[in-house]
Amino acid sequence: MNTEVDQKTIIPAVKSQRLISLDALRGFDMFWIVSGEGIFHGLANGIKEKHSLIQNQTDWQIATNENLSVFERGLVGISNQLHHSPWNGFTFYDLIFPLFIFISGVSMPYSYQKYFDNKKNGNDASRAIYFALIKRTLILILLGIIVNGLFKWNGYEHTRFASVLARIGLSTFFAALIYLNFSLPKQIIWFFSILIGYHVLMTFVPVPNFGAGNFTPEGNLSAYIDRLWLPGKLHRMVYDPEGLLSTIPSICSAMLGIFVGTFIKSASPRFTANKKVLSLLIAGVIGILIGLAWNSIFPINKTMWSSSFVFFAGGWSIIIFAVFYYIIDVKAFNKWSLPFVWMGTNSILIYVFAHGLFNFESTAQFIFGGIIRFLPLTWQQAALWTSVLAIQLFLLKFLYDKKWFLKI
């Protein structure tokens, strides 16, 4: 877990029980936020211009009509799913973040197997493990602030300290502490205690001028705590989507992954690989149904990371993982997934590059701009982002072939 970017940190992979499907799913998840959304928004914008469609400026949804082909409707539908819900509700784009945290949880039973083996043999490396966890978390928090523009030096009040990377670091840190120190039954108790406790806090602790149980953007308890105690700039003026209190239930998104990883890794003769996949699909549907039921009293909401959101997003995460696991690891049909594996094995690196460290759009324009300009104007955005993806995959394949992976 060395984190300096040199030959000590960009290191060759070693043989392990690593799930190929997990790397592929991580890459699939990352694809949408580093180039995929640009491609599909570009295609949808081309269709919008062609058919003079109307786009809602509140939720960014493009309305379709009877003049569109089935294929065009599909492309617009995908684009519409690649926007966050304005507040309550759920889109595919709302799934990307909790899915990444879930994936981090799935990997933990594999990552910490050596630790448990050594502990059984009397070689307790707890201090080293905890030090590595703390270091990883602090580095992710710092990287998040850098991605937010730390080195623009805009001043304390204009610097955003909360971030996606910080939430990944904090949620997986506390989930790992629970996993390393408690048995599975006690982990389950922790899981439900956090979600129920969070619901109780959000429902019954009053917010000045708004009262208790107010789930509006400015009136909910999480937003109020952000305004009181979150340093620097809030991303949405009156709240931050990666704020303080709402980070607590995100621990449970990682814990859902831990439960799945523990189940997949188990060697019980009762469960063949096919039975494990079927069990995961059933568990995913149950999670979705619990989320929908909880939604009636605590809305599915990504920004608040509501308890219903954890179950609903978690259910979908389990289902998607089960599909990837079955196709790639169980059936060994995996060649198609290689581009996702390239991206998934260097996910933090490509995220940081795509969100400020490297301007892929300018590079794509420089390399492919001469070709792109011959296309109709309405399709140039999609072509540009397809070029961005090509450059990203070229670089990621190079790193993968060299077995250089940034480990944090």
Side-chain angles (χ1 to χ4, degrees):
M1 286 200 177
N2 202 318
T3 52
E4 298 175 14
V5 185
D6 56 20
Q7 287 296 319
K8 295 180 181 178
T9 62
I10 301 183
I11 58 176
V14 295
K15 291 184 178 180
S16 68
Q17 292 179 304
R18 193 181 191 99
L19 295 175
I20 299 174
S21 58
L22 203 58
D23 288 328
L25 181 55
R26 189 184 295 109
F28 171 80
D29 195 45
M30 192 59 59
F31 158 74
W32 298 102
I33 58 174
V34 298
S35 51
E37 63 174 308
I39 294 171
F40 283 95
H41 287 329
L43 292 169
N45 284 336
I47 295 168
K48 183 182 72 171
E49 295 297 324
K50 176 183 175 183
H51 295 281
S52 300
L53 303 178
I54 304 299
Q55 185 169 28
N56 188 305
Q57 296 303 304
T58 300
D59 58 11
W60 302 105
Q61 300 298 290
I62 298 174
T64 58
N65 59 41
E66 66 280 358
N67 297 324
L68 273 65
S69 68
V70 173
F71 183 65
E72 288 174 328
R73 285 175 183 268
L75 291 177
V76 171
I78 293 172
S79 174
N80 284 342
Q81 283 295 310
L82 295 175
H83 296 285
H84 286 304
S85 302
W87 188 241
N88 294 333
F90 192 85
T91 65
F92 176 77
Y93 209 58
D94 293 327
L95 176 62
I96 290 173
F97 193 6
L99 176 59
F100 192 92
I101 293 175
F102 167 86
I103 292 167
S104 299
V106 176
S107 69
M108 286 188 196
Y110 295 88
S111 301
Y112 293 121
Q113 183 58 52
K114 186 177 180 181
Y115 164 77
F116 286 115
D117 290 342
N118 289 338
K119 196 172 183 180
K120 278 184 182 179
N121 296 327
N123 183 17
D124 190 350
S126 296
R127 178 177 292 183
I129 287 289
Y130 295 148
F131 177 78
L133 277 171
I134 292 170
K135 183 171 71 170
R136 175 183 182 272
T137 304
L138 292 176
I139 288 172
L140 284 172
I141 292 172
L142 178 60
L143 275 178
I145 301 172
I146 291 172
V147 169
N148 287 344
L150 172 64
F151 295 129
K152 291 180 180 178
W153 308 116
N154 289 329
Y156 171 84
E157 68 279 4
H158 298 296
T159 300
R160 183 178 175 229
F161 289 83
S163 70
V164 166
L165 292 177
R167 176 159 291 183
I168 291 171
L170 290 167
S171 62
T172 54
F173 172 78
F174 288 107
L177 289 184
I178 294 171
Y179 175 67
L180 293 172
N181 290 283
F182 295 94
S183 64
L184 181 59
K186 290 182 179 178
Q187 291 170 29
I188 294 172
I189 292 173
W190 269 105
F191 175 80
F192 282 102
S193 296
I194 291 170
L195 291 183
I196 294 171
Y198 182 63
H199 184 185
V200 169
L201 284 175
M202 293 288 284
T203 303
F204 295 107
V205 175
V207 173
N209 301 319
F210 292 97
N214 187 312
F215 298 137
T216 61
E218 63 281 349
N220 73 85
L221 179 65
S222 178
Y224 177 64
I225 288 176
D226 288 346
R227 293 195 295 271
L228 279 182
W229 293 323
L230 187 62
K233 181 181 72 173
L234 299 183
H235 194 47
R236 293 286 186 267
M237 300 299 290
V238 296
Y239 68 87
D240 197 291
E242 281 77 50
L244 296 171
L245 186 62
S246 59
T247 294
I248 295 174
S250 69
I251 298 168
C252 295
S253 296
M255 292 186 71
L256 276 175
I258 290 173
F259 299 152
V260 168
T262 300
F263 177 62
I264 289 292
K265 190 172 177 294
S266 66
S268 171
R270 293 174 51 202
F271 289 98
T272 63
N274 287 340
K275 285 184 177 179
K276 285 181 177 179
V277 171
L278 179 60
S279 299
L280 288 177
L281 292 174
I282 293 170
V285 171
I286 291 172
I288 291 170
L289 293 175
I290 292 173
L292 289 172
W294 209 330
N295 175 63
S296 62
I297 54 175
F298 194 11
I300 293 172
N301 184 293
K302 176 191 173 291
T303 299
M304 292 191 294
W305 214 279
S306 60
S307 304
S308 57
F309 173 80
V310 171
F311 267 106
F312 193 77
W316 282 113
S317 298
I318 294 170
I319 289 172
I320 295 172
F321 170 74
V323 171
F324 271 67
Y325 173 69
Y326 179 74
I327 295 172
I328 296 173
D329 286 312
V330 177
K331 291 301 182 181
F333 179 51
N334 52 35
K335 288 185 178 179
W336 64 273
S337 68
L338 267 177
F340 291 136
V341 173
W342 303 336
M343 194 168 286
T345 49
N346 261 314
S347 56
I348 296 296
L349 183 69
I350 191 62
Y351 176 86
V352 173
F353 266 57
H355 287 80
L357 195 61
F358 189 87
N359 193 326
F360 283 106
E361 291 178 75
S362 294
T363 304
Q365 188 67 51
F366 178 78
I367 297 173
F368 299 106
I371 300 172
I372 292 172
R373 67 186 177 86
F374 287 109
L375 297 173
L377 185 61
T378 52
W379 303 111
Q380 288 186 11
Q381 180 186 349
L384 176 65
W385 279 100
T386 302
S387 303
V388 166
L389 175 62
I391 294 168
Q392 291 172 342
L393 291 179
F394 176 82
L395 294 174
L396 289 165
K397 184 182 186 302
F398 173 80
L399 295 174
Y400 185 84
D401 289 343
K402 292 290 186 179
K403 302 188 187 309
W404 292 345
F405 306 122
L406 178 63
K407 300 294 183 181
I408 295 181

